[in-house]
Amino acid sequence: MKWCSMKRGFVFCIFSGLLLCLHKGWREVDNYNYWKNTANVTIMLWKWPFGRTHSLKGNVCWDLYKIPNCTLVDQSSYFPSAHIVVFHNRELIQGSQQLPTELPRPQGQRWAWMSLESPAHNGNLKKFANIFNMTISYRRDADVTIPFGEMLPLETENNLVEDSHINKTSLVCWVVSNYRTHHRRTQVYKELNATVPVKVYGRWNKMPLSSEDLLPTISRCYFYLAFENTLAKDYVTEKLWHNAYKGGAVPVVLGPPIGDYKAVAPEHSFIHVDEFSSVQELGKYLQRLAEDRKRYEEYFNWRKHWKVKVYTDWRERLCKICLQYDILPQHKVYSDLEGWDKARNT
Ligand SMILES: *[C@@H]1O[C@H](CO)[C@@H](O)[C@H](O)[C@H]1NC(C)=O
Ligand SMILES: *[C@@H]1O[C@H](CO)[C@@H](O)[C@H](O)[C@H]1NC(C)=O
Ligand SMILES: *[C@@H]1O[C@H](CO)[C@@H](O)[C@H](O)[C@H]1NC(C)=O
Ligand SMILES: *[C@@H]1O[C@H](CO)[C@@H](O)[C@H](O)[C@H]1NC(C)=O
């Protein structure tokens, strides 16, 4: 009896040792799978951009944007289990948030650098070499592109042709708050205003527009100057997507080269300043176009096939990271983030 129970105990011991071994093995497999598991991706926002918090109650990505299997969190207790930790550049540069470099960084976790500013306003990023695994920006070559807006194809052709001429009272309108003489857009405005009348709104001209008045005002203009304050690769902001397209004025754009616009906006939906040999030529073109009903209407033909989507909520941008989780490179390190950010148009 005694021997038997000893033998049993021995067998039990070996057996449980094997189990323990198996169990540990499984745990490691589990852990490996955790970071590859796309059934539930956790995106953690380290600090809210500009200190403006939003509610993350409930299943935000599903409830608001119908993006499944995507958990958006902002509490630091999630750090060990977050697949992606997102850092917004402004607060990093200003020093109001620090990278948690003292915390053990889980293997497989990606750190993302996020900014919607142009390179001129991102500061010097040299100190962020070899830290980030991915970039989130408006740029098309970022790992996750978060544009200010985009065109979505309509499911069925829209044949409701509106008369875009209705209610137009001004030829060219511009809304500007931050007026700087050294901006290229200021030079172009001055030259244009010397050729055709340009109606100026905004703080600079002491004609501020409330957000309710913005689109109705723009809708009364034939053309809207969607002039960016900085000329940088892919930097096309809400001035195009929201102000011009939603306002129903034909955008006259100044920003990155025409190819960057063509990549994201329909043919014949905008007029690029660089299409003309001089600003005077541009002015004459606008004048003639406003008088030619048929040719002016052609700049609205895109509305038959496209609708404009404008992005304003950081939660939507962050949830959309999940849609690309599967196609992120397995391993990537930005050894020269400053070089990436300041890269010129090619
Ligand atoms: C997804 O992950 C989050 C954070 O780790 C967790 O709170 C949530 O319960 C998970 N959901 C599912 C369906 O596994
Ligand atoms: C034109 O202006 C009138 C009066 O302000 C307004 O009721 C109407 O909706 C406008 N039409 C368009 C197409 O904007
Ligand atoms: C724009 O043109 C108008 C009319 O020629 C002129 O009165 C105005 O001073 C000009 N504005 C600027 C800022 O040059
Ligand atoms: C993320 O970057 C860190 C720091 O350079 C690196 O050690 C880690 O392997 C990278 N992870 C991925 C998934 O690329």
Side-chain angles (χ1 to χ4, degrees):
M1 255 346 235
K2 223 176 188 182
W3 181 84
C4 186
S5 76
M6 247 177 80
K7 190 177 153 202
R8 267 205 202 148
F10 183 67
V11 169
F12 177 77
C13 181
I14 289 191
F15 186 67
S16 46
L18 200 72
L19 260 181
L20 202 75
C21 210
L22 267 173
H23 180 68
K24 199 169 177 303
W26 277 114
R27 269 209 1 229
E28 265 156 26
V29 171
D30 257 354
N31 193 40
Y32 173 74
N33 275 340
Y34 180 80
W35 302 103
K36 299 192 70 182
N37 172 25
T38 54
N40 184 13
V41 176
T42 301
I43 308 287
M44 178 183 172
L45 179 60
W46 190 249
K47 285 270 158 58
W48 283 92
F50 313 105
R52 287 178 218 132
T53 58
H54 288 83
S55 164
L56 295 182
K57 281 217 186 79
N59 187 351
V60 171
C61 296
W62 177 252
D63 297 345
L64 298 181
Y65 311 114
K66 292 289 169 278
I67 295 173
N69 312 319
C70 185
T71 306
L72 183 58
V73 297
D74 62 359
Q75 289 158 293
S76 50
S77 57
Y78 284 101
F79 180 80
S81 61
H83 293 86
I84 296 176
V85 185
V86 180
F87 300 91
H88 184 244
N89 182 61
R90 175 69 66 93
E91 292 74 31
L92 285 179
I93 286 293
Q94 287 179 341
S96 57
Q97 72 165 331
Q98 254 80 46
L99 289 166
T101 39
E102 75 292 348
L103 293 179
R105 183 160 161 180
Q107 266 209 339
Q109 182 177 82
R110 289 181 178 90
W111 285 16
W113 176 88
M114 178 169 75
S115 175
L116 276 177
E117 301 289 337
S118 64
H121 296 109
N122 277 333
N124 189 329
L125 306 175
K126 288 214 170 82
K127 58 174 175 278
F128 299 137
N130 292 309
I131 289 178
F132 292 101
N133 307 103
M134 53 189 282
T135 50
I136 305 175
S137 107
Y138 57 81
R139 266 170 58 182
R140 281 176 291 142
D141 61 350
D143 294 291
V144 174
T145 303
I146 48 168
F148 291 85
E150 67 181 327
M151 286 288 175
L152 299 177
L154 288 174
E155 274 156 36
T156 53
E157 191 172 314
N158 169 21
N159 283 313
L160 257 168
V161 192
E162 307 141 68
D163 189 352
S164 314
H165 262 84
I166 282 178
N167 291 350
K168 300 291 187 200
T169 53
S170 304
L171 183 68
V172 183
C173 298
W174 191 31
V175 179
V176 61
S177 302
N178 178 24
Y179 184 94
R180 299 283 165 85
T181 41
H182 72 268
H183 283 165
R184 168 132 189 263
R185 66 181 186 185
T186 305
Q187 303 309 318
V188 174
Y189 155 69
K190 281 187 180 163
E191 278 186 59
L192 190 61
N193 184 53
T195 314
V196 293
V198 179
K199 196 145 171 59
V200 182
Y201 298 91
R203 254 182 301 148
W204 170 64
N205 208 28
K206 303 201 173 61
M207 296 252 287
L209 287 176
S210 67
S211 54
E212 300 86 72
D213 288 341
L214 183 67
L215 294 189
T217 303
I218 293 172
S219 76
R220 290 192 286 273
C221 314
Y222 282 93
F223 302 100
Y224 175 78
L225 302 184
F227 285 7
E228 303 299 346
N229 59 15
T230 318
L231 313 187
K233 186 184 171 86
D234 289 334
Y235 189 62
V236 177
T237 68
E238 77 291 339
K239 292 181 178 69
L240 175 73
W241 301 110
H242 180 258
N243 301 10
Y245 284 148
K246 294 260 182 197
V250 173
V252 177
V253 301
L254 174 74
I258 195 160
D260 285 13
Y261 284 94
K262 283 189 170 164
V264 294
E267 197 84 53
H268 216 65
S269 68
F270 61 89
I271 295 166
H272 197 293
V273 169
D274 292 351
E275 287 173 69
F276 302 87
S277 54
S278 69
V279 176
Q280 285 75 16
E281 286 301 315
L282 166 65
K284 285 188 216 157
Y285 181 79
L286 300 182
Q287 190 116 54
R288 284 197 306 266
L289 200 55
E291 288 160 5
D292 188 335
R293 206 180 180 96
K294 193 165 159 285
R295 282 184 61 219
Y296 181 75
E297 296 292 339
E298 283 169 6
Y299 277 90
F300 294 90
N301 278 348
W302 61 269
R303 287 180 166 184
K304 286 184 187 149
H305 305 284
W306 303 95
K307 65 173 179 224
V308 178
K309 162 84 183 163
V310 176
Y311 293 98
T312 53
D313 197 316
W314 286 100
R315 293 174 297 186
E316 182 165 22
R317 298 178 179 126
L318 292 162
C319 290
K320 287 189 84 175
I321 299 171
C322 287
L323 300 176
Q324 292 188 47
Y325 188 74
D326 277 343
I327 55 167
L328 290 173
Q330 284 303 309
H331 182 84
K332 189 167 184 177
V333 177
Y334 279 82
S335 57
D336 180 15
L337 187 66
E338 171 71 3
W340 183 85
D341 182 52
K342 305 300 187 284
R344 295 193 152 270
N345 251 302
T346 47

